[in-house]
Amino acid sequence: MDTPVSESPRWYCLRSKPRRQHVAASHLRSLGIEVFNPQLRFKRPTRRGPAWSTTPLFPNYLFARFDLLTFFRRARYAFGVHDILRFGDRWAEIGQEEIAQLQDVWSHSDALQPPQPIEVGAPVIVTGGLFHGIEATVIALLPARQRVRILLDFLGGLKEAEVDAAAVLPPMSHPLAV
């Protein structure tokens, strides 16, 4: 294997071990390596109602900025890291401009919450309570009471119900759902 050559710190793409992305990012930071590990934050339906969850924007991949010559072994063999990504005999360098654009979107936080607007006429899924998992249509927003009036097919007919606004989610609330 070729010896790494570098003059200054650059951004590299690292592949983490499965479900060890957070471990890899934390360990690299403890070694003094700058890490960028963007996450998406979203609500997912559960029986107790919506629950916040996070998922990596790039599953099993993260970005680290370091001098390849100095930190090669430490970065490559850090806890949770599978390897430094390479294409043939070239290490996968990421341009500062691309990382800066991603960091502008994520600002000062690793987790970004995509908007989940609920509008009149929009289909939703009710989470938690008696109507858990039932699809409905929003017929009115009641912002003063933080409630939503919905129309749902229940017990053989269309029924109106009023539920907490936090208890309804768009049908595809997972940001990576297709």
Side-chain angles (χ1 to χ4, degrees), residues 38-44 50-57 106 109-116 173-176:
Q39 305 283 315
L40 290 173
R41 187 170 188 248
F42 62 98
K43 284 185 181 178
R44 62 180 175 78
W52 285 104
S53 186
T54 59
T55 188
L57 181 63
W106 264 256
S109 172
D110 272 352
L112 179 71
Q113 180 180 332
Q116 296 179 336
S173 64
H174 190 289
L176 301 178

Side-chain angles (χ1 to χ4, degrees), residues 9-14 24-37 62-68 70-79 81 84:
R10 297 176 192 251
W11 285 99
Y12 295 95
C13 183
L14 281 68
S26 178
H27 190 244
L28 288 167
R29 285 182 183 118
S30 76
L31 296 172
I33 296 174
E34 185 179 352
V35 175
F36 181 56
N37 183 23
L62 57 132
F63 306 107
R65 185 173 182 258
F66 56 93
D67 175 31
L68 194 60
T70 307
F71 287 94
F72 176 76
R73 284 186 160 297
R74 284 182 257 178
R76 189 171 187 197
Y77 299 110
F79 294 126
V81 173
I84 301 172

Side-chain angles (χ1 to χ4, degrees), residues 121-168:
V124 293
I125 294 178
V126 182
T127 63
L130 177 66
F131 302 122
H132 178 72
I134 295 178
E135 292 186 30
T137 304
V138 176
I139 57 174
L141 300 174
L142 309 168
R145 296 187 343 218
Q146 297 182 357
R147 309 275 291 168
V148 177
R149 188 169 296 133
I150 56 173
L151 184 65
L152 55 120
D153 188 5
F154 189 68
L155 296 176
L158 291 176
K159 310 286 186 213
E160 275 189 34
E162 199 174 292
V163 296
D164 188 11
V168 294

